[in-house]
Amino acid sequence: MRTIDLRGQSLSPADMLAAVPRAAQARAEALEAAMAIVEAVRISGETALRDQAERFDRVSGHAIRVPEEHVAEAAASVDPAVRAALEAAIDRVRRGSAAQVPAPQTTEIGAGARITQRWQPVTRAGVYIPGGKAPLASSVVMNVVPAQVAGVTSIALASPPQAAHGGRVHPTILAAASLLGIDEIYAIGGAGAIGALAHGVSDIGLDPVDVVSGPGNNYVASAKRVVAGVVGTDSEAGATEILIVADADADPSLIAVDLISQAEHDEQASAVLVTDSAALAEQVAEKVAEFAATTMHAARVAEALAGPQSAIVLVDDREMAVAFSNAYAPEHLELHLVDAAEAAAHFTSAGAVFVGDQTPVSLGDYMAGSNHVLPTGGQARYAAGLGAYTFLRPQQVIEYDHAALAEVRSGVVALANAEVLPAHGDAVEARFRDAPR
């Protein structure tokens, strides 16, 4: 990993972002490709999906709508330890998601005048589960459980067909879906899956959804941008990111393994350490080189760590570390600080914050009870991770009686006339032309 020394400089947020750039060119190319893929699915439906499966997944002639027997076989053959872990994760994420569903609130504006705030679930959700470099069965839990907690009654799941499994969706993904009662499953991958969920594919009985969610690579993230406006989407969860802020007392070995844990996802993954300790920076660099060479996905990790999106960043002090982190707005933020719990309040822009050196991102990926579908690419400055609220629509229900309307009658007419919209005022006046009620 390269080391960038920002000490002794007065930097704007833009300067800090420029120091560790994200893969903007890759995202731009992905967007162009995703537009073509989504449009092909919209126009050609199943034909386009089969062409894409052959091109990207090396699969042909497979069942796009997953038969029930495939799901049953996967559920019956899943490793008992994996089943137990999935069941535990489902329980934890369900409990963590329940707090994200607000109770209806009624505000009494005056006598006979009230506004009720309620949160309505969408009717139908489409969830995408990656299966390329890693079959993310945990993402089934992270996507489906919040939708179910929100009250969504129709959920379609899409995941890539696997050449190694005869064109079937990965069996662990199918097993996770079975545990959650999901029986509408499609063997569709990448940007094409996002397009299929958004536009529907009548040839295979896939009806359009209202919201599309789920992580993926830059093509999946870009496809969400393409279909935004056609359907709701969660954040554009592209190539994964980890930023660790550490002080001189941090354990370099723990930092190194955590950086590697996210780098193994993808060659475009971002792994960043921010510290005011030059000694720690040097120790982490040594440990990363040592550990990365022996990990299973060493080549992938090496490419991610050598890329411009990964770095060890030296800063003057804690204040500068906070400023850098908040400007970068990472997907995952780990705080390896002696006062991590107190310091967490200052780190305001991150998809999720992992406090202390015993709370690694890997915990959040699987068993913390939090959600691992999080905004990347700096979107954590304004976007939230996936949750039950992703599938909820806030609505206001307004109820006034005649007396309450009379109280504001003149105000409505005055404002309507001021805006030269007299029919607005007439609509209120019409209710007072007859005898008083």
Side-chain angles (χ1 to χ4, degrees):
M1 294 179 71
R2 64 193 177 119
T3 298
I4 301 171
D5 193 345
L6 299 183
R7 292 174 297 180
Q9 303 180 54
S10 179
L11 301 173
S12 68
D15 294 331
M16 292 179 183
L17 285 175
V20 187
R22 288 172 166 104
Q25 181 60 35
R27 288 295 296 271
E29 292 170 356
L31 180 59
E32 184 177 351
M35 288 178 65
I37 291 169
V38 170
E39 185 67 2
V41 172
R42 186 186 70 81
I43 294 171
S44 301
E46 181 180 1
T47 300
L49 292 176
R50 292 198 176 280
D51 288 345
Q52 291 164 14
E54 190 167 356
R55 177 183 171 192
F56 300 120
D57 303 305
R58 304 182 308 283
V59 166
S60 61
H62 63 301
I64 295 182
R65 174 72 184 256
V66 176
E68 291 181 12
E69 56 266 28
H70 289 188
V71 181
E73 289 171 14
S77 62
V78 68
D79 184 313
V82 174
R83 175 189 287 272
L86 285 169
E87 289 172 339
I90 288 168
D91 175 67
R92 288 171 174 265
V93 175
R94 200 175 295 282
R95 284 187 282 150
S97 300
Q100 300 166 347
V101 182
Q105 298 287 335
T106 298
T107 304
E108 299 289 341
I109 302 296
R114 66 184 58 84
I115 298 174
T116 299
Q117 179 73 60
R118 68 183 186 186
W119 284 262
Q120 292 287 102
V122 299
T123 301
R124 182 164 163 78
V127 301
Y128 179 70
I129 310 302
K133 292 184 173 71
L136 299 185
S138 58
S139 287
V140 179
V141 178
M142 300 295 175
N143 281 267
V144 171
V145 170
Q148 291 177 332
V149 168
V152 179
T153 56
S154 176
I155 301 174
L157 184 151
S159 188
Q162 304 282 320
H165 295 280
R168 297 188 183 192
V169 169
H170 194 282
T172 312
I173 289 173
L174 292 181
S178 175
L179 289 173
L180 288 161
I182 301 301
D183 57 11
E184 186 183 353
I185 305 172
Y186 300 90
I188 311 173
I194 303 302
L197 292 168
H199 293 291
V201 181
S202 58
D203 300 347
I204 57 174
L206 172 55
D207 293 327
V209 302
D210 302 311
V211 169
V212 173
S213 72
N217 58 20
N218 284 335
Y219 295 95
V220 170
S222 296
K224 289 182 186 177
R225 184 171 296 187
V226 173
V227 302
V230 177
V231 294
T233 66
D234 62 343
S235 60
E236 296 176 16
T240 194
E241 304 168 349
I242 181 172
L243 187 148
I244 299 176
V245 177
D247 56 26
D249 293 319
D251 185 329
S253 292
L254 293 182
I255 293 171
V257 295
D258 288 359
L259 292 171
I260 291 168
S261 75
Q262 297 307 297
E264 78 171 340
H265 270 288
D266 191 274
E267 291 84 356
Q268 294 181 20
S270 300
V272 180
L273 167 65
V274 178
T275 183
D276 58 2
S277 169
L280 179 73
E282 186 174 337
Q283 292 166 351
V284 169
E286 292 172 356
K287 292 295 183 182
V288 165
E290 177 186 347
F291 299 158
T294 60
T295 192
M296 174 183 287
H297 302 295
R300 187 187 306 165
V301 168
E303 187 170 344
L305 295 178
Q309 75 276 11
S310 297
I312 296 172
V313 179
L314 282 170
V315 294
D316 289 315
D317 48 30
R318 174 72 62 80
E319 182 180 359
M320 192 174 185
V322 170
F324 185 97
S325 178
N326 287 340
Y328 189 86
E331 176 189 18
H332 305 103
L333 170 64
E334 286 188 2
L335 301 180
H336 291 232
L337 305 169
V338 291
D339 59 341
E342 295 77 18
H346 300 286
F347 293 87
T348 55
S349 293
V353 183
F354 297 80
V355 180
D357 66 5
Q358 298 305 300
T359 316
V361 168
S362 296
L363 174 65
D365 283 341
Y366 299 114
M367 300 293 288
S370 57
N371 204 292
H372 79 199
V373 184
L374 300 167
T376 62
Q379 293 178 92
R381 291 182 295 107
Y382 54 82
L386 185 69
Y389 39 73
T390 305
F391 305 97
L392 293 170
R393 298 160 292 155
Q395 294 177 335
Q396 291 183 316
V397 181
I398 303 96
E399 184 181 1
Y400 272 56
D401 63 20
H402 191 70
L405 181 60
E407 221 180 289
V408 296
R409 171 186 177 185
S410 61
V412 172
V413 172
L415 289 172
N417 289 337
E419 294 184 351
V420 198
L421 297 170
H424 283 59
D426 292 344
V428 170
E429 289 295 299
R431 287 161 170 79
F432 296 92
R433 288 184 187 137
D434 299 323
R437 301 180 186 182

